[in-house]
Amino acid sequence: RGVHMLITSPGCWLVAAPLAVIAVRPIVPAIRAGDPTFALVVFLFALLLRVGLPAAVILCVVTMALRGFLAREAIHRNLFNAGQHVLTLFTAWAVLHAFSIDPTPIHPWSFHEPNIKVSQLIAVSLAGLAYLVVDNASVDVAIALIEHRSFLRIAHDDLRHFAMVGVAMVSLSPL
């Protein structure tokens, strides 16, 4: 029943469709040249907010596999990208769950305009921050290990991207 609700939910498809488009035609800013996964975070977070962790994880893994296949990336890189995003989705979900926000395809979640609670705004903001910290830190650690560079230096160089994506993700995902 949950899968049927997911498939028939217009809100889910409004978020899932851009995932497919980005997998085929990535949006990559100059600062992240060579990293076509960066734009996915906005849509994955929105999907997590709307239909919950299991649905977001399934669509994340399918999108990562499709993107990796189309880009002919090595399997280990594909597995890392999928694992990284599943971990970040779980982290954000844990924050949302702590605030009693636990959507499912059967019971989707969204802000209700006249009754938006401050606790919901805080929950979404903290979940977005947790998502971005884990997402960026996992990539920065991998880069530091591969390139034998300082993690702190890489994280510092990545701050502008972190801020740009963070503002976009947290402010646009609930829409």
Side-chain angles (χ1 to χ4, degrees):
R1 180 175 166 146
V3 172
H4 174 54
M5 290 295 291
L6 179 66
I7 292 171
T8 59
S9 166
C12 177
W13 287 109
L14 285 173
V15 175
L19 283 173
V21 171
I22 290 171
V24 175
R25 185 81 174 126
I27 302 166
V28 184
I31 193 167
R32 281 287 181 127
D35 179 14
T37 62
F38 112 96
L40 292 174
V41 299
V42 173
F43 297 106
L44 288 174
F45 187 69
L47 200 57
L48 174 68
L49 286 176
R50 183 73 182 153
V51 294
L53 184 64
V57 165
I58 290 167
L59 285 169
C60 170
V61 170
V62 168
T63 301
M64 290 290 145
L66 175 62
R67 188 196 53 76
F69 174 76
L70 293 173
R72 298 180 184 191
E73 288 183 347
I75 190 77
H76 70 277
R77 183 169 179 181
N78 238 353
L79 290 172
F80 173 82
N81 286 339
Q84 164 205 359
H85 287 293
V86 168
L87 177 64
T88 56
L89 284 167
F90 178 78
T91 303
W93 172 84
V95 172
L96 293 170
H97 188 71
F99 283 85
S100 300
I101 297 174
D102 196 12
T104 67
I106 296 170
H107 302 290
W109 182 85
S110 65
F111 286 113
H112 297 291
E113 186 101 11
N115 301 325
I116 295 175
K117 298 176 185 169
V118 172
S119 64
Q120 291 175 329
L121 293 172
I122 292 169
V124 170
S125 298
L126 290 176
L129 180 63
Y131 186 105
L132 287 170
V133 167
V134 171
D135 184 60
N136 283 323
S138 62
V139 171
D140 293 347
V141 166
I143 292 170
L145 291 171
I146 291 168
E147 296 181 359
H148 304 287
R149 292 176 43 204
S150 163
F151 166 76
L152 292 177
R153 183 70 199 156
I154 293 168
H156 179 268
D157 293 345
D158 207 25
L159 275 177
R160 188 171 56 198
H161 165 76
F162 181 84
M164 178 183 71
V165 172
V167 169
M169 183 178 80
V170 173
S171 62
L172 295 176
S173 290
L175 299 177

mmCIF file of all heavy atoms in Angstrom, residues 92-139:
data_model
loop_
_atom_site.group_PDB
_atom_site.id
_atom_site.type_symbol
_atom_site.label_atom_id
_atom_site.label_comp_id
_atom_site.label_asym_id
_atom_site.label_seq_id
_atom_site.Cartn_x
_atom_site.Cartn_y
_atom_site.Cartn_z
ATOM 1 N N ALA A 92 19.558 13.195 8.700
ATOM 2 C CA ALA A 92 18.500 14.211 8.681
ATOM 3 C C ALA A 92 17.186 13.639 9.200
ATOM 4 O O ALA A 92 16.456 14.306 9.939
ATOM 5 C CB ALA A 92 18.322 14.760 7.267
ATOM 6 N N TRP A 93 16.889 12.394 8.821
ATOM 7 C CA TRP A 93 15.667 11.752 9.310
ATOM 8 C C TRP A 93 15.684 11.635 10.836
ATOM 9 O O TRP A 93 14.658 11.853 11.492
ATOM 10 C CB TRP A 93 15.505 10.368 8.679
ATOM 11 C CG TRP A 93 14.379 9.600 9.291
ATOM 12 C CD1 TRP A 93 13.059 9.678 8.974
ATOM 13 C CD2 TRP A 93 14.484 8.661 10.365
ATOM 14 N NE1 TRP A 93 12.334 8.830 9.785
ATOM 15 C CE2 TRP A 93 13.187 8.196 10.639
ATOM 16 C CE3 TRP A 93 15.543 8.159 11.111
ATOM 17 C CZ2 TRP A 93 12.926 7.260 11.635
ATOM 18 C CZ3 TRP A 93 15.286 7.227 12.105
ATOM 19 C CH2 TRP A 93 13.991 6.791 12.357
ATOM 20 N N ALA A 94 16.837 11.294 11.406
ATOM 21 C CA ALA A 94 16.943 11.160 12.860
ATOM 22 C C ALA A 94 16.613 12.479 13.552
ATOM 23 O O ALA A 94 15.928 12.490 14.586
ATOM 24 C CB ALA A 94 18.344 10.676 13.252
ATOM 25 N N VAL A 95 17.061 13.589 12.974
ATOM 26 C CA VAL A 95 16.744 14.899 13.548
ATOM 27 C C VAL A 95 15.242 15.162 13.435
ATOM 28 O O VAL A 95 14.597 15.580 14.400
ATOM 29 C CB VAL A 95 17.552 16.024 12.859
ATOM 30 C CG1 VAL A 95 17.081 17.400 13.317
ATOM 31 C CG2 VAL A 95 19.041 15.841 13.111
ATOM 32 N N LEU A 96 14.675 14.920 12.256
ATOM 33 C CA LEU A 96 13.237 15.125 12.069
ATOM 34 C C LEU A 96 12.437 14.233 13.019
ATOM 35 O O LEU A 96 11.452 14.671 13.618
ATOM 36 C CB LEU A 96 12.838 14.837 10.619
ATOM 37 C CG LEU A 96 13.382 15.798 9.573
ATOM 38 C CD1 LEU A 96 13.117 15.260 8.178
ATOM 39 C CD2 LEU A 96 12.790 17.185 9.740
ATOM 40 N N HIS A 97 12.863 12.993 13.145
ATOM 41 C CA HIS A 97 12.175 12.034 14.027
ATOM 42 C C HIS A 97 12.213 12.512 15.484
ATOM 43 O O HIS A 97 11.227 12.324 16.215
ATOM 44 C CB HIS A 97 12.833 10.654 13.888
ATOM 45 C CG HIS A 97 12.112 9.574 14.591
ATOM 46 N ND1 HIS A 97 10.892 9.081 14.153
ATOM 47 C CD2 HIS A 97 12.418 8.877 15.711
ATOM 48 C CE1 HIS A 97 10.494 8.139 14.978
ATOM 49 N NE2 HIS A 97 11.387 7.988 15.926
ATOM 50 N N ALA A 98 13.303 13.126 15.883
ATOM 51 C CA ALA A 98 13.406 13.654 17.253
ATOM 52 C C ALA A 98 12.364 14.744 17.509
ATOM 53 O O ALA A 98 11.958 14.979 18.648
ATOM 54 C CB ALA A 98 14.807 14.200 17.513
ATOM 55 N N PHE A 99 11.916 15.403 16.442
ATOM 56 C CA PHE A 99 10.881 16.440 16.546
ATOM 57 C C PHE A 99 9.502 15.890 16.164
ATOM 58 O O PHE A 99 8.588 16.649 15.860
ATOM 59 C CB PHE A 99 11.226 17.626 15.640
ATOM 60 C CG PHE A 99 12.298 18.517 16.193
ATOM 61 C CD1 PHE A 99 13.636 18.219 15.988
ATOM 62 C CD2 PHE A 99 11.973 19.660 16.901
ATOM 63 C CE1 PHE A 99 14.639 19.049 16.478
ATOM 64 C CE2 PHE A 99 12.961 20.494 17.403
ATOM 65 C CZ PHE A 99 14.297 20.178 17.194
ATOM 66 N N SER A 100 9.379 14.567 16.131
ATOM 67 C CA SER A 100 8.120 13.887 15.792
ATOM 68 C C SER A 100 7.643 14.168 14.374
ATOM 69 O O SER A 100 6.442 14.165 14.101
ATOM 70 C CB SER A 100 7.019 14.244 16.803
ATOM 71 O OG SER A 100 7.409 13.838 18.093
ATOM 72 N N ILE A 101 8.567 14.402 13.474
ATOM 73 C CA ILE A 101 8.235 14.534 12.055
ATOM 74 C C ILE A 101 8.725 13.247 11.401
ATOM 75 O O ILE A 101 9.923 13.008 11.285
ATOM 76 C CB ILE A 101 8.912 15.762 11.409
ATOM 77 C CG1 ILE A 101 8.402 17.038 12.062
ATOM 78 C CG2 ILE A 101 8.660 15.776 9.899
ATOM 79 C CD1 ILE A 101 9.116 18.300 11.606
ATOM 80 N N ASP A 102 7.786 12.390 11.017
ATOM 81 C CA ASP A 102 8.136 11.080 10.465
ATOM 82 C C ASP A 102 7.165 10.731 9.332
ATOM 83 O O ASP A 102 6.271 9.908 9.487
ATOM 84 C CB ASP A 102 8.096 10.029 11.574
ATOM 85 C CG ASP A 102 8.799 8.755 11.170
ATOM 86 O OD1 ASP A 102 9.504 8.738 10.148
ATOM 87 O OD2 ASP A 102 8.632 7.754 11.897
ATOM 88 N N PRO A 103 7.344 11.368 8.177
ATOM 89 C CA PRO A 103 6.409 11.144 7.077
ATOM 90 C C PRO A 103 6.564 9.760 6.445
ATOM 91 O O PRO A 103 7.598 9.110 6.573
ATOM 92 C CB PRO A 103 6.780 12.234 6.074
ATOM 93 C CG PRO A 103 8.213 12.516 6.347
ATOM 94 C CD PRO A 103 8.397 12.298 7.818
ATOM 95 N N THR A 104 5.522 9.334 5.766
ATOM 96 C CA THR A 104 5.519 8.102 4.977
ATOM 97 C C THR A 104 4.769 8.414 3.683
ATOM 98 O O THR A 104 4.068 9.427 3.605
ATOM 99 C CB THR A 104 4.801 6.952 5.716
ATOM 100 O OG1 THR A 104 3.417 7.282 5.827
ATOM 101 C CG2 THR A 104 5.406 6.691 7.087
ATOM 102 N N PRO A 105 4.871 7.536 2.688
ATOM 103 C CA PRO A 105 4.069 7.767 1.485
ATOM 104 C C PRO A 105 2.567 7.806 1.785
ATOM 105 O O PRO A 105 1.823 8.526 1.134
ATOM 106 C CB PRO A 105 4.418 6.574 0.595
ATOM 107 C CG PRO A 105 5.792 6.182 1.022
ATOM 108 C CD PRO A 105 5.817 6.427 2.509
ATOM 109 N N ILE A 106 2.139 7.056 2.804
ATOM 110 C CA ILE A 106 0.717 7.045 3.163
ATOM 111 C C ILE A 106 0.339 8.311 3.927
ATOM 112 O O ILE A 106 -0.755 8.834 3.781
ATOM 113 C CB ILE A 106 0.389 5.791 4.004
ATOM 114 C CG1 ILE A 106 0.615 4.543 3.158
ATOM 115 C CG2 ILE A 106 -1.036 5.831 4.526
ATOM 116 C CD1 ILE A 106 0.560 3.248 3.930
ATOM 117 N N HIS A 107 1.273 8.819 4.727
ATOM 118 C CA HIS A 107 1.046 10.032 5.519
ATOM 119 C C HIS A 107 2.152 11.045 5.234
ATOM 120 O O HIS A 107 3.044 11.241 6.060
ATOM 121 C CB HIS A 107 1.005 9.706 7.017
ATOM 122 C CG HIS A 107 -0.033 8.716 7.391
ATOM 123 N ND1 HIS A 107 -1.377 8.994 7.353
ATOM 124 C CD2 HIS A 107 0.066 7.428 7.792
ATOM 125 C CE1 HIS A 107 -2.056 7.928 7.715
ATOM 126 N NE2 HIS A 107 -1.206 6.960 7.984
ATOM 127 N N PRO A 108 2.099 11.698 4.067
ATOM 128 C CA PRO A 108 3.146 12.676 3.735
ATOM 129 C C PRO A 108 3.104 13.871 4.677
ATOM 130 O O PRO A 108 2.074 14.164 5.288
ATOM 131 C CB PRO A 108 2.841 13.078 2.301
ATOM 132 C CG PRO A 108 1.452 12.643 2.038
ATOM 133 C CD PRO A 108 1.101 11.579 3.031
ATOM 134 N N TRP A 109 4.232 14.545 4.780
ATOM 135 C CA TRP A 109 4.345 15.696 5.675
ATOM 136 C C TRP A 109 4.625 16.955 4.869
ATOM 137 O O TRP A 109 5.322 16.923 3.857
ATOM 138 C CB TRP A 109 5.483 15.486 6.670
ATOM 139 C CG TRP A 109 5.624 16.622 7.639
ATOM 140 C CD1 TRP A 109 4.950 16.782 8.797
ATOM 141 C CD2 TRP A 109 6.479 17.764 7.512
ATOM 142 N NE1 TRP A 109 5.323 17.960 9.410
ATOM 143 C CE2 TRP A 109 6.267 18.573 8.637
ATOM 144 C CE3 TRP A 109 7.396 18.189 6.547
ATOM 145 C CZ2 TRP A 109 6.934 19.779 8.829
ATOM 146 C CZ3 TRP A 109 8.070 19.377 6.736
ATOM 147 C CH2 TRP A 109 7.832 20.165 7.876
ATOM 148 N N SER A 110 4.067 18.056 5.327
ATOM 149 C CA SER A 110 4.425 19.366 4.780
ATOM 150 C C SER A 110 4.005 20.422 5.809
ATOM 151 O O SER A 110 3.241 20.150 6.723
ATOM 152 C CB SER A 110 3.737 19.624 3.438
ATOM 153 O OG SER A 110 2.344 19.698 3.601
ATOM 154 N N PHE A 111 4.556 21.616 5.617
ATOM 155 C CA PHE A 111 4.107 22.725 6.453
ATOM 156 C C PHE A 111 2.660 23.036 6.113
ATOM 157 O O PHE A 111 2.248 22.927 4.968
ATOM 158 C CB PHE A 111 4.951 23.981 6.172
ATOM 159 C CG PHE A 111 6.336 23.933 6.735
ATOM 160 C CD1 PHE A 111 7.435 23.888 5.888
ATOM 161 C CD2 PHE A 111 6.562 23.951 8.101
ATOM 162 C CE1 PHE A 111 8.718 23.860 6.393
ATOM 163 C CE2 PHE A 111 7.837 23.919 8.618
ATOM 164 C CZ PHE A 111 8.926 23.874 7.757
ATOM 165 N N HIS A 112 1.895 23.428 7.111
ATOM 166 C CA HIS A 112 0.527 23.873 6.871
ATOM 167 C C HIS A 112 0.497 25.363 7.175
ATOM 168 O O HIS A 112 0.575 25.775 8.330
ATOM 169 C CB HIS A 112 -0.461 23.092 7.750
ATOM 170 C CG HIS A 112 -0.470 21.639 7.436
ATOM 171 N ND1 HIS A 112 -0.968 21.146 6.253
ATOM 172 C CD2 HIS A 112 -0.009 20.563 8.127
ATOM 173 C CE1 HIS A 112 -0.827 19.844 6.229
ATOM 174 N NE2 HIS A 112 -0.243 19.464 7.359
ATOM 175 N N GLU A 113 0.408 26.139 6.136
ATOM 176 C CA GLU A 113 0.613 27.587 6.148
ATOM 177 C C GLU A 113 0.058 28.336 7.354
ATOM 178 O O GLU A 113 0.812 29.006 8.031
ATOM 179 C CB GLU A 113 0.080 28.190 4.855
ATOM 180 C CG GLU A 113 0.370 29.631 4.707
ATOM 181 C CD GLU A 113 1.530 29.894 3.784
ATOM 182 O OE1 GLU A 113 1.993 29.005 3.098
ATOM 183 O OE2 GLU A 113 1.959 31.043 3.768
ATOM 184 N N PRO A 114 -1.223 28.252 7.658
ATOM 185 C CA PRO A 114 -1.676 29.095 8.771
ATOM 186 C C PRO A 114 -1.178 28.613 10.139
ATOM 187 O O PRO A 114 -1.177 29.365 11.096
ATOM 188 C CB PRO A 114 -3.197 29.021 8.694
ATOM 189 C CG PRO A 114 -3.504 27.798 7.928
ATOM 190 C CD PRO A 114 -2.314 27.529 7.044
ATOM 191 N N ASN A 115 -0.739 27.366 10.211
ATOM 192 C CA ASN A 115 -0.362 26.804 11.510
ATOM 193 C C ASN A 115 1.091 26.335 11.556
ATOM 194 O O ASN A 115 1.381 25.326 12.201
ATOM 195 C CB ASN A 115 -1.271 25.620 11.853
ATOM 196 C CG ASN A 115 -2.729 26.011 11.896
ATOM 197 O OD1 ASN A 115 -3.056 27.115 12.304
ATOM 198 N ND2 ASN A 115 -3.602 25.132 11.461
ATOM 199 N N ILE A 116 1.992 27.021 10.894
ATOM 200 C CA ILE A 116 3.399 26.615 10.924
ATOM 201 C C ILE A 116 3.927 26.825 12.340
ATOM 202 O O ILE A 116 3.792 27.900 12.916
ATOM 203 C CB ILE A 116 4.242 27.413 9.913
ATOM 204 C CG1 ILE A 116 3.785 27.093 8.497
ATOM 205 C CG2 ILE A 116 5.724 27.097 10.081
ATOM 206 C CD1 ILE A 116 4.480 27.915 7.419
ATOM 207 N N LYS A 117 4.500 25.764 12.883
ATOM 208 C CA LYS A 117 5.030 25.819 14.244
ATOM 209 C C LYS A 117 6.517 26.151 14.213
ATOM 210 O O LYS A 117 7.238 25.721 13.316
ATOM 211 C CB LYS A 117 4.836 24.467 14.940
ATOM 212 C CG LYS A 117 3.397 24.069 15.088
ATOM 213 C CD LYS A 117 3.285 22.691 15.695
ATOM 214 C CE LYS A 117 1.833 22.260 15.734
ATOM 215 N NZ LYS A 117 1.706 20.847 16.075
ATOM 216 N N VAL A 118 6.965 26.891 15.195
ATOM 217 C CA VAL A 118 8.376 27.229 15.310
ATOM 218 C C VAL A 118 9.203 25.956 15.433
ATOM 219 O O VAL A 118 10.286 25.839 14.855
ATOM 220 C CB VAL A 118 8.624 28.184 16.503
ATOM 221 C CG1 VAL A 118 10.106 28.394 16.743
ATOM 222 C CG2 VAL A 118 7.912 29.503 16.287
ATOM 223 N N SER A 119 8.692 24.978 16.145
ATOM 224 C CA SER A 119 9.422 23.714 16.307
ATOM 225 C C SER A 119 9.642 23.017 14.966
ATOM 226 O O SER A 119 10.673 22.377 14.758
ATOM 227 C CB SER A 119 8.686 22.778 17.272
ATOM 228 O OG SER A 119 7.430 22.408 16.759
ATOM 229 N N GLN A 120 8.682 23.147 14.049
ATOM 230 C CA GLN A 120 8.848 22.557 12.717
ATOM 231 C C GLN A 120 9.936 23.288 11.931
ATOM 232 O O GLN A 120 10.732 22.651 11.241
ATOM 233 C CB GLN A 120 7.532 22.592 11.944
ATOM 234 C CG GLN A 120 6.479 21.668 12.502
ATOM 235 C CD GLN A 120 5.161 21.812 11.782
ATOM 236 O OE1 GLN A 120 4.804 22.888 11.289
ATOM 237 N NE2 GLN A 120 4.409 20.722 11.727
ATOM 238 N N LEU A 121 9.953 24.605 12.025
ATOM 239 C CA LEU A 121 11.004 25.380 11.356
ATOM 240 C C LEU A 121 12.384 25.015 11.901
ATOM 241 O O LEU A 121 13.346 24.849 11.139
ATOM 242 C CB LEU A 121 10.753 26.878 11.510
ATOM 243 C CG LEU A 121 9.529 27.438 10.797
ATOM 244 C CD1 LEU A 121 9.307 28.890 11.191
ATOM 245 C CD2 LEU A 121 9.687 27.306 9.297
ATOM 246 N N ILE A 122 12.465 24.868 13.205
ATOM 247 C CA ILE A 122 13.732 24.483 13.838
ATOM 248 C C ILE A 122 14.130 23.076 13.400
ATOM 249 O O ILE A 122 15.285 22.825 13.064
ATOM 250 C CB ILE A 122 13.630 24.599 15.371
ATOM 251 C CG1 ILE A 122 13.507 26.068 15.776
ATOM 252 C CG2 ILE A 122 14.817 23.937 16.055
ATOM 253 C CD1 ILE A 122 13.147 26.285 17.230
ATOM 254 N N ALA A 123 13.161 22.172 13.391
ATOM 255 C CA ALA A 123 13.444 20.783 12.995
ATOM 256 C C ALA A 123 13.968 20.707 11.572
ATOM 257 O O ALA A 123 14.976 20.036 11.301
ATOM 258 C CB ALA A 123 12.181 19.930 13.130
ATOM 259 N N VAL A 124 13.321 21.389 10.641
ATOM 260 C CA VAL A 124 13.756 21.362 9.241
ATOM 261 C C VAL A 124 15.127 22.021 9.100
ATOM 262 O O VAL A 124 15.998 21.518 8.381
ATOM 263 C CB VAL A 124 12.704 22.031 8.329
ATOM 264 C CG1 VAL A 124 13.232 22.231 6.923
ATOM 265 C CG2 VAL A 124 11.436 21.187 8.303
ATOM 266 N N SER A 125 15.341 23.111 9.796
ATOM 267 C CA SER A 125 16.645 23.788 9.737
ATOM 268 C C SER A 125 17.755 22.901 10.293
ATOM 269 O O SER A 125 18.824 22.775 9.684
ATOM 270 C CB SER A 125 16.612 25.104 10.515
ATOM 271 O OG SER A 125 15.684 25.987 9.950
ATOM 272 N N LEU A 126 17.517 22.279 11.442
ATOM 273 C CA LEU A 126 18.534 21.402 12.034
ATOM 274 C C LEU A 126 18.762 20.148 11.197
ATOM 275 O O LEU A 126 19.893 19.682 11.057
ATOM 276 C CB LEU A 126 18.150 21.029 13.466
ATOM 277 C CG LEU A 126 18.229 22.152 14.499
ATOM 278 C CD1 LEU A 126 17.723 21.665 15.852
ATOM 279 C CD2 LEU A 126 19.653 22.684 14.612
ATOM 280 N N ALA A 127 17.691 19.598 10.637
ATOM 281 C CA ALA A 127 17.832 18.426 9.770
ATOM 282 C C ALA A 127 18.632 18.782 8.516
ATOM 283 O O ALA A 127 19.495 18.017 8.077
ATOM 284 C CB ALA A 127 16.459 17.870 9.387
ATOM 285 N N GLY A 128 18.357 19.951 7.956
ATOM 286 C CA GLY A 128 19.119 20.404 6.790
ATOM 287 C C GLY A 128 20.580 20.617 7.124
ATOM 288 O O GLY A 128 21.476 20.232 6.356
ATOM 289 N N LEU A 129 20.841 21.213 8.266
ATOM 290 C CA LEU A 129 22.223 21.418 8.694
ATOM 291 C C LEU A 129 22.924 20.078 8.915
ATOM 292 O O LEU A 129 24.052 19.871 8.460
ATOM 293 C CB LEU A 129 22.258 22.256 9.972
ATOM 294 C CG LEU A 129 23.646 22.556 10.531
ATOM 295 C CD1 LEU A 129 24.465 23.392 9.547
ATOM 296 C CD2 LEU A 129 23.534 23.264 11.872
ATOM 297 N N ALA A 130 22.256 19.148 9.581
ATOM 298 C CA ALA A 130 22.843 17.823 9.810
ATOM 299 C C ALA A 130 23.124 17.119 8.487
ATOM 300 O O ALA A 130 24.186 16.509 8.297
ATOM 301 C CB ALA A 130 21.900 16.974 10.672
ATOM 302 N N TYR A 131 22.182 17.216 7.559
ATOM 303 C CA TYR A 131 22.346 16.605 6.236
ATOM 304 C C TYR A 131 23.599 17.157 5.562
ATOM 305 O O TYR A 131 24.442 16.409 5.069
ATOM 306 C CB TYR A 131 21.104 16.879 5.382
ATOM 307 C CG TYR A 131 21.111 16.165 4.051
ATOM 308 C CD1 TYR A 131 20.313 15.060 3.844
ATOM 309 C CD2 TYR A 131 21.917 16.589 2.997
ATOM 310 C CE1 TYR A 131 20.301 14.395 2.628
ATOM 311 C CE2 TYR A 131 21.920 15.931 1.789
ATOM 312 C CZ TYR A 131 21.111 14.834 1.607
ATOM 313 O OH TYR A 131 21.126 14.182 0.405
ATOM 314 N N LEU A 132 23.712 18.471 5.553
ATOM 315 C CA LEU A 132 24.846 19.093 4.863
ATOM 316 C C LEU A 132 26.184 18.811 5.540
ATOM 317 O O LEU A 132 27.187 18.594 4.866
ATOM 318 C CB LEU A 132 24.629 20.598 4.751
ATOM 319 C CG LEU A 132 23.570 21.001 3.741
ATOM 320 C CD1 LEU A 132 23.254 22.474 3.861
ATOM 321 C CD2 LEU A 132 24.021 20.661 2.336
ATOM 322 N N VAL A 133 26.196 18.823 6.855
ATOM 323 C CA VAL A 133 27.454 18.561 7.566
ATOM 324 C C VAL A 133 27.940 17.144 7.269
ATOM 325 O O VAL A 133 29.106 16.937 6.925
ATOM 326 C CB VAL A 133 27.286 18.794 9.089
ATOM 327 C CG1 VAL A 133 28.462 18.226 9.859
ATOM 328 C CG2 VAL A 133 27.127 20.284 9.373
ATOM 329 N N VAL A 134 27.051 16.164 7.389
ATOM 330 C CA VAL A 134 27.448 14.777 7.135
ATOM 331 C C VAL A 134 27.799 14.580 5.660
ATOM 332 O O VAL A 134 28.799 13.930 5.328
ATOM 333 C CB VAL A 134 26.351 13.795 7.595
ATOM 334 C CG1 VAL A 134 26.650 12.376 7.151
ATOM 335 C CG2 VAL A 134 26.182 13.863 9.098
ATOM 336 N N ASP A 135 27.002 15.142 4.768
ATOM 337 C CA ASP A 135 27.249 15.015 3.328
ATOM 338 C C ASP A 135 28.621 15.593 2.954
ATOM 339 O O ASP A 135 29.441 14.920 2.330
ATOM 340 C CB ASP A 135 26.139 15.731 2.552
ATOM 341 C CG ASP A 135 26.281 15.562 1.055
ATOM 342 O OD1 ASP A 135 26.262 14.411 0.584
ATOM 343 O OD2 ASP A 135 26.409 16.584 0.357
ATOM 344 N N ASN A 136 28.857 16.828 3.343
ATOM 345 C CA ASN A 136 30.126 17.465 2.985
ATOM 346 C C ASN A 136 31.310 16.856 3.720
ATOM 347 O O ASN A 136 32.384 16.694 3.132
ATOM 348 C CB ASN A 136 30.066 18.977 3.234
ATOM 349 C CG ASN A 136 29.301 19.689 2.149
ATOM 350 O OD1 ASN A 136 29.375 19.333 0.991
ATOM 351 N ND2 ASN A 136 28.530 20.689 2.534
ATOM 352 N N ALA A 137 31.136 16.522 4.976
ATOM 353 C CA ALA A 137 32.246 15.944 5.736
ATOM 354 C C ALA A 137 32.669 14.601 5.153
ATOM 355 O O ALA A 137 33.866 14.308 5.065
ATOM 356 C CB ALA A 137 31.873 15.794 7.206
ATOM 357 N N SER A 138 31.709 13.784 4.735
ATOM 358 C CA SER A 138 32.075 12.483 4.163
ATOM 359 C C SER A 138 32.854 12.650 2.867
ATOM 360 O O SER A 138 33.836 11.937 2.625
ATOM 361 C CB SER A 138 30.834 11.602 3.961
ATOM 362 O OG SER A 138 29.939 12.190 3.060
ATOM 363 N N VAL A 139 32.468 13.607 2.040
ATOM 364 C CA VAL A 139 33.211 13.869 0.806
ATOM 365 C C VAL A 139 34.583 14.457 1.131
ATOM 366 O O VAL A 139 35.602 14.047 0.554
ATOM 367 C CB VAL A 139 32.423 14.830 -0.122
ATOM 368 C CG1 VAL A 139 33.278 15.283 -1.287
ATOM 369 C CG2 VAL A 139 31.163 14.156 -0.609
#
